[in-house]
Amino acid sequence: MLFMAQMTVRIPHSLAPAFVEQLKADEKALSQQLQREGKWRHLWRVTGQYANVSIFDVASNDELHTLLTSLPLYPYMDITVTPLAQHGSAIVQN
């Protein structure tokens, strides 16, 4: 199942800089692992924002929920999820 997730990160300024840097490093490592596994198919930065648009390929809503809530930056994210379906006019089929 394909899902688009729009994620905006809002890290409080009150967090210790070292803690924030560790969160970012952990987030990067996990996101790259999920990309290698094929679950995080696409990752695009939203220009001018601490935000991204991502495409996930997972087995279920529950798997996506588990994946998103496992992200180290999850407590500081606003996430909007949209389920996707193949368009009949698309040249490339999944």
Side-chain angles (χ1 to χ4, degrees):
M1 298 177 71
L2 295 177
F3 296 90
M4 177 181 66
Q6 297 172 282
M7 298 180 260
T8 301
V9 181
R10 302 184 196 289
I11 298 175
H13 296 290
S14 60
L15 294 181
F19 177 70
V20 172
E21 290 309 309
Q22 186 61 56
L23 278 176
K24 289 178 182 180
D26 293 346
E27 182 87 9
K28 182 177 183 177
L30 180 55
S31 72
Q32 289 179 346
Q33 173 190 331
L34 292 167
Q35 289 173 67
R36 283 188 291 275
E37 293 173 1
K39 293 179 185 286
W40 199 323
R41 298 252 312 256
H42 299 279
L43 173 58
W44 293 282
R45 179 178 309 284
V46 177
T47 304
Q49 299 179 36
Y50 193 178
N52 73 73
V53 174
S54 295
I55 304 296
F56 292 92
D57 190 354
V58 293
S60 66
N61 296 340
D62 290 332
E63 182 181 5
L64 180 63
H65 180 78
T66 299
L67 184 154
L68 292 173
T69 58
S70 73
L71 296 173
L73 288 171
Y74 175 78
Y76 312 105
M77 289 182 178
D78 294 326
I79 302 173
T80 302
V81 174
T82 305
L84 301 174
Q86 185 68 48
H87 194 287
S89 296
I91 294 172
V92 177
Q93 302 293 316
N94 289 329

